Amino acid sequence: MKKAVYPGSFDPITYGHIDIIQRMQPIFDEVIVLVSTSPQKKYLFTAKERQDMIQESLKNACPGISVDTHDGLTVEYVRAHGASVIVRGLRAVVDFEYEMVMANMNKKLAQEIETMIVFAKPEYYYISSNTIKEVTRYGADVTSLVPPPVIIALKEKNLILNKNKIF
Ligand code: ADP
């Protein structure tokens, strides 16, 4: 049974992430989306909020995907869950160095685990969770970039202001 883990911050999940998940689903018997938490990063959403948003967003788009949270080494999670592949997405050259360093570090820590890099689709390569949060704060419409549960969650965080709050 070929199991893959797709780790990330997913703060919040975007259609770029979902595209990677959908493309990986037919390749593996099981794909686990892993919401990671790093002490060096600041998140808008808690790990539980991010997990719930992903579960809700994937319910129709790709049923059968499990979503978990973890705050330690990714390779430890991958090992403990009997997976052999870490999936990561690559958008532009700026992603490359970070992904290469992480892949090599993970290889050093766990020889038996491979990192698989998947190129973002051209229509999604410019979408990042940070950009979503940034443009949303200035009132941009992101409904074509993130799934409906994320729009609801952004509204709950007051990042998308209700009309009656603006005026
Ligand atoms: P992290 O903080 O671990 O980079 P992210 O949620 O930002 O978490 O990204 C998780 C993974 O998904 C990374 O490998 C990233 O390059 C990839 N990714 C993010 N946005 C996109 C996108 N629009 N298209 C394809 N891959 C993406």
Side-chain angles (χ1 to χ4, degrees), residues 6-12 14-17 19-20 36 41 43 87-91 95 98-99 118-121 124-129:
Y6 178 32
S9 304
F10 305 105
D11 188 43
T14 70
Y15 282 135
H17 293 125
D19 176 60
I20 299 286
S36 345
K41 289 190 182 168
Y43 302 95
V87 173
R88 294 284 291 176
L90 197 78
R91 285 161 295 187
D95 284 343
Y98 178 75
E99 295 299 341
V118 184
F119 285 99
K121 267 197 192 152
Y124 296 128
Y125 86 95
Y126 65 94
I127 308 176
S128 73
S129 304

Side-chain angles (χ1 to χ4, degrees), residues 23-83:
R23 286 161 61 197
M24 290 307 100
Q25 205 173 14
I27 296 174
F28 295 98
D29 298 305
E30 188 181 344
V31 177
I32 302 171
V33 178
L34 188 64
V35 175
S36 345
T37 300
S38 154
Q40 281 120 327
K41 289 190 182 168
K42 280 203 157 182
Y43 302 95
L44 174 64
F45 297 101
T46 65
K48 173 80 171 72
E49 285 170 334
R50 288 178 274 149
Q51 182 185 26
D52 290 348
M53 255 186 288
I54 298 171
Q55 255 154 359
E56 199 54 32
S57 306
L58 298 182
K59 217 165 51 185
N60 300 322
C62 21
I65 296 277
S66 33
V67 188
D68 206 353
T69 59
H70 181 65
D71 61 6
L73 284 174
T74 301
V75 288
E76 276 174 4
Y77 180 96
V78 174
R79 258 191 194 137
H81 289 78

Side-chain angles (χ1 to χ4, degrees), residues 141-158:
D141 177 9
V142 292
T143 47
S144 62
L145 309 177
V146 295
V150 173
I151 297 291
I152 295 168
L154 287 168
K155 277 188 181 149
E156 280 168 5
K157 293 274 176 198
N158 277 335

Side-chain angles (χ1 to χ4, degrees), residues 99-153:
E99 295 299 341
M100 189 191 61
V101 168
M102 283 314 297
N104 281 296
M105 178 54 82
N106 285 334
K107 194 73 190 160
K108 186 82 190 154
L109 297 173
Q111 286 292 322
E112 76 283 13
I113 297 169
E114 288 298 340
T115 296
M116 184 172 158
I117 299 289
V118 184
F119 285 99
K121 267 197 192 152
E123 59 265 46
Y124 296 128
Y125 86 95
Y126 65 94
I127 308 176
S128 73
S129 304
N130 282 342
T131 314
I132 295 293
K133 287 178 280 192
E134 200 175 321
V135 300
T136 302
R137 283 198 175 94
Y138 292 103
D141 177 9
V142 292
T143 47
S144 62
L145 309 177
V146 295
V150 173
I151 297 291
I152 295 168

